[in-house]
């Protein structure tokens, strides 16, 4: 039996949700509502695709290793109010505190397209086989995900022709000119063709990640490939919220206070990509959100006033690997300056 005033429902088990669950497990009665059977270290997903035998199994971590006292419900949330969570199955989890951590969706392979670890592993292996037989690779999207995917493919298959297209005018806008110049230099060294200012007139008929006769018109020019990947189209996972707790913004994000409470609700919090915090949506930020939320809930459980506040950094930081041997990084320094350097990545994506 749970103690009155100590039940915490955490909706979503990604980077932010898993960190909250781990931090609260010894202090409250935690219920994790997450349909996946394991935490997915999405930062390693692209290398899991290009090296599935070595990497794929390493990005999945059963939630039983995170929760020692709490429980894990493999369910989707259908609705949330200040008193608990209604499940898609029709069930209900009553809670004293609620943490919304459902994050965002992104096209495969950067994020898995199934709730089953076994199925996800099969997907990586099948797509790897399709990719292995393709001589020409087209990647739509020259953001960090698309460029990282290009670098991972090049590391495994030096002979493939890789083309990245994007409607933007420059790579990684908002970062230093030094970083962008180094990125351009490395992509040229890796023989990755990047076409900027080039948008699809229409997406190819072939399904992304499947080998086939890929034909597309990009910026008025014909592009042909043997396989293509979509590296754009992030969306916030907030459809279950509607405007019930607080009106969502145009991106589907929920408004939060400096203490990361959902506006108007002292017992409901949100972390990660779901929040309207003005910052880049990365795993590191979600983990910092989790620290603030966990500290505030622990204070409330103990009858104290929550005092922790989250202050997003005004400086931009990024680590963008281009395979194990290449990559660039921008790191904040004192007085608002940033350093930019070439960096290696032995363990998968770290810039998320």
């Amino acid at each position: 039996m749970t103690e009155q005033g100590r039940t915490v429902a955490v909706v979503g088990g990604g980077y932010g949700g898993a960190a909250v669950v781990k931090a609260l497990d010894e202090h409250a009665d935690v219920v994790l509502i997450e349909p996946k059977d394991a935490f997915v270290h999405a930062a390693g997903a692209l290398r899991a695709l290009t090296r599935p035998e070595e990497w794929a199994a390493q990005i999945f971590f059963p939630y039983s290793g995170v929760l020692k006292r709490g429980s894990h419900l493999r369910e989707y949330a259908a609705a949330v109010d200040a008193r608990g969570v209604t499940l898609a199955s029709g069930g209900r989890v009553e809670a004293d505190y609620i943490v919304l951590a459902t994050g965002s969706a992104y096209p495969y392979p950067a994020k898995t397209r199934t709730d089953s670890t076994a199925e996800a592993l099969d997907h990586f292996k099948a797509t790897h086989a399709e990719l292995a037989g393709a001589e020409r690779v087209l990647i739509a999207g020259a953001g960090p995900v698309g460029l990282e995917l290009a670098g991972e493919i090049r590391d495994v298959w030096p002979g493939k022709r890789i083309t990245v297209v994007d409607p933007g005018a420059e790579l990684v806008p908002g970062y230093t000119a030094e970083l962008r110049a180094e990125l351009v230099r490395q992509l040229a060294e890796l023989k990755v063709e990047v076409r900027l200012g080039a948008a699809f007139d229409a997406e190819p008929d072939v399904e992304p990640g499947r080998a086939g006769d890929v034909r597309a018109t990009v910026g008025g020019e014909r592009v042909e490939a043997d396989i293509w990947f979509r590296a754009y189209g992030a969306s916030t996972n907030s459809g279950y919220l509607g405007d019930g707790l607080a009106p969502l913004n145009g991106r589907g994000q929920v408004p939060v206070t400096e203490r990361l409470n959902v506006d108007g609700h002292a017992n409901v919090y949100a972390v990660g990509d779901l929040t309207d915090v003005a910052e880049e949506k990365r795993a590191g930020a979600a983990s910092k959100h989790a620290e603030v939320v966990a500290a505030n809930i622990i204070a409330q459980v103990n009858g104290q006033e929550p005092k922790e506040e989250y202050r997003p950094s005004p400086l931009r930081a990024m680590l963008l690997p281009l395979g194990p041997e290449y990559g660039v990084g921008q790191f904040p320094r004192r007085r608002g300056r940033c350093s930019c350097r070439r960096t290696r990545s032995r363990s998968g994506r770290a810039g998320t």
Side-chain angles (χ1 to χ4, degrees):
M1 178 179 294
T2 61
E3 295 182 43
Q4 187 174 2
R6 295 178 58 91
T7 302
V8 182
V10 180
V11 186
Y15 288 104
V20 169
V21 163
K22 186 173 182 179
L24 292 179
D25 198 32
E26 296 181 1
H27 302 274
D29 301 306
V30 178
V31 180
L32 172 62
I33 301 168
E34 165 57 59
K36 286 184 171 60
D37 59 9
F39 170 80
V40 182
H41 180 41
L46 300 182
R47 195 165 296 176
L49 169 67
T50 59
R51 299 178 181 271
E53 297 300 330
E54 303 170 51
W55 283 91
Q58 298 186 45
I59 72 170
F60 298 95
F61 301 87
Y63 286 110
S64 58
V66 178
L67 281 164
K68 303 301 181 183
R69 297 177 59 253
S71 59
H72 172 206
L73 296 181
R74 290 194 63 189
E75 295 261 15
Y76 284 94
V80 176
D81 56 59
R83 297 178 300 280
V85 181
T86 301
L87 306 175
S89 64
R92 174 82 177 171
V93 176
E94 301 291 342
D96 303 293
Y97 306 96
I98 301 166
V99 182
L100 307 177
T102 44
S104 59
Y106 199 88
Y108 171 83
K111 289 194 176 182
T112 59
R113 55 191 178 192
T114 174
D115 297 330
S116 163
T117 296
E119 289 180 357
L121 291 172
D122 287 342
H123 292 169
F124 282 132
K125 292 175 183 177
T127 307
H128 178 271
E130 300 270 336
L131 176 58
E135 295 183 3
R136 300 168 300 175
V137 181
L138 174 63
I139 299 172
V145 172
L147 297 179
E148 182 183 344
L149 177 57
E152 293 292 345
I153 292 172
R154 173 60 74 227
D155 182 66
V156 176
W157 292 285
K160 291 189 187 300
R161 178 179 175 180
I162 304 171
T163 302
V164 183
V165 298
D166 193 280
E170 62 181 5
L171 295 176
V172 293
Y175 289 91
T176 64
E178 180 186 5
L179 179 141
R180 293 199 302 274
E182 176 62 14
L183 182 57
V184 168
R185 188 196 69 77
Q186 290 191 31
L187 290 168
E189 185 175 332
L190 288 167
K191 295 181 172 59
V192 172
E193 179 186 4
V194 179
R195 298 188 187 182
L196 297 176
F200 276 144
D201 292 349
E203 287 192 351
D205 292 333
V206 180
E207 179 184 346
R210 296 294 299 271
D213 185 11
V214 178
R215 299 183 182 185
T217 302
V218 181
E221 297 183 11
R222 191 63 171 264
V223 176
E224 297 183 354
D226 304 306
I227 194 170
W228 79 286
F229 294 93
R230 185 187 291 115
Y232 64 88
S235 59
T236 308
N237 291 326
S238 59
Y240 64 99
L241 292 175
D243 286 334
L245 284 171
L248 305 179
N249 68 13
R251 297 182 179 180
Q253 297 165 335
V254 65
V256 294
T257 68
E258 293 178 338
R259 294 179 183 174
L260 297 179
N261 289 106
V262 174
D263 271 349
H265 300 279
N267 68 319
V268 183
Y269 294 85
V271 300
D273 293 5
L274 188 65
T275 70
D276 70 346
V277 177
E279 63 185 354
E280 291 185 286
K281 302 303 183 181
R282 301 191 186 280
S287 297
K288 291 179 181 178
H289 293 184
E291 293 176 5
V292 170
V293 168
N296 284 335
I297 291 178
I298 290 171
Q300 288 174 296
V301 166
N302 292 329
Q304 301 169 358
E305 181 72 18
K307 296 181 180 180
E308 294 297 316
E309 295 183 350
Y310 178 72
R311 304 289 185 183
S313 171
L315 303 176
R316 305 188 77 180
M318 178 174 64
L319 182 63
L320 200 172
L322 300 172
E325 301 296 333
Y326 289 78
V328 296
Q330 178 176 308
F331 309 98
R333 285 180 173 175
R334 293 180 180 178
R335 298 180 182 177
R337 297 179 180 178
C338 291
S339 64
C340 170
R341 64 179 177 85
R342 175 169 171 167
T343 183
R344 292 185 175 185
S345 171
R346 295 287 184 183
S347 57
R349 185 163 73 248
T352 54

